[in-house]
Amino acid sequence: MKKVHSHAQGGFSLMEVLVALVILTTGILGTVAMQLTAKRGSYGALERTQAVNLANDLLERVRSNPSELANYAANYGSGQTVSAADKCSSSSYCSPAALRQWDQFQWHQQLMGADTKENTQNVAVLGNAVGCVTVSANAITVVVSWQGIHGIGDADAASSCGTASDKRRLVSVSSVIL
């Protein structure tokens, strides 16, 4: 009878280790890319939510002061000038015109991020936010335009609200005020 010598493998070859490292590295990079995409999408959703909230805020202000509807039509926010107005409070009477001026000033300040501060600087969620309000009869349209972080194509090349750019984002909300 002949003796058969069997040689058992004693470990991994260098090639096997390199292949395993390549597969592991590819998986980790894919996970990081997926996290980055999710983070961008989440921030984009935050911006859109903030823009819709701002547009709805102005619509509610107009609904509480319908006699001044036509006078709300203007552009607000970045690059715009809205004069400061006297504060209307529940303890004093405000004429409809004074209330409109106060509403316009407050909304302009919100677009500029005045309600969120870091040290003494305004920190707006929406970069270079501009609000454009148009009125036709009893219909009002509020467009909020801002600059996103990443370019994806101009949101609406035909819109004159905000600065045309591949980073421009727009939200438009329309309503009828009776």
Side-chain angles (χ1 to χ4, degrees):
M1 209 177 204
K2 283 186 174 180
K3 280 189 167 185
V4 178
H5 296 286
S6 102
H7 296 287
Q9 187 173 356
F12 296 105
S13 71
L14 185 58
M15 187 58 84
E16 290 170 329
V17 171
L18 287 175
V19 168
L21 281 174
V22 167
I23 292 171
L24 181 65
T25 303
T26 303
I28 290 172
L29 288 175
T31 303
V32 168
M34 182 178 64
Q35 286 284 49
L36 180 61
T37 301
K39 191 79 163 170
R40 284 181 181 168
S42 175
Y43 189 72
L46 171 68
E47 288 177 324
R48 284 187 298 279
T49 300
Q50 183 71 20
V52 168
N53 287 341
L54 284 166
N56 283 329
D57 177 63
L58 185 65
L59 288 175
E60 291 304 316
R61 290 173 187 272
V62 174
R63 280 189 184 103
S64 70
N65 192 9
S67 65
E68 287 288 310
L69 172 63
N71 295 318
Y72 278 93
N75 292 339
Y76 307 87
S78 182
Q80 308 300 317
T81 303
V82 174
S83 57
D86 292 330
K87 181 178 181 179
C88 287
S89 67
S90 59
S91 63
S92 64
Y93 172 76
C94 261
S95 69
L99 180 59
R100 175 192 40 84
Q101 289 172 342
W102 177 242
D103 287 343
Q104 289 173 314
F105 175 72
Q106 281 189 310
W107 198 66
H108 173 77
Q109 292 299 310
Q110 286 179 333
L111 283 170
M112 301 301 293
D115 52 349
T116 308
K117 293 196 182 286
E118 184 174 313
N119 296 325
T120 59
Q121 294 290 334
N122 293 350
V123 181
V125 172
L126 304 177
N128 297 322
V130 176
C132 303
V133 179
T134 56
V135 176
S136 175
N138 285 351
I140 181 171
T141 301
V142 180
V143 176
V144 178
S145 169
W146 71 97
Q147 296 294 316
I149 295 173
H150 305 285
I152 58 170
D154 198 350
D156 183 1
S159 178
S160 62
C161 189
T163 304
S165 152
D166 67 336
K167 295 181 180 182
R168 178 170 61 170
R169 311 289 190 270
L170 293 172
V171 167
S172 178
V173 179
S174 298
S175 185
V176 174
I177 307 295
L178 300 175

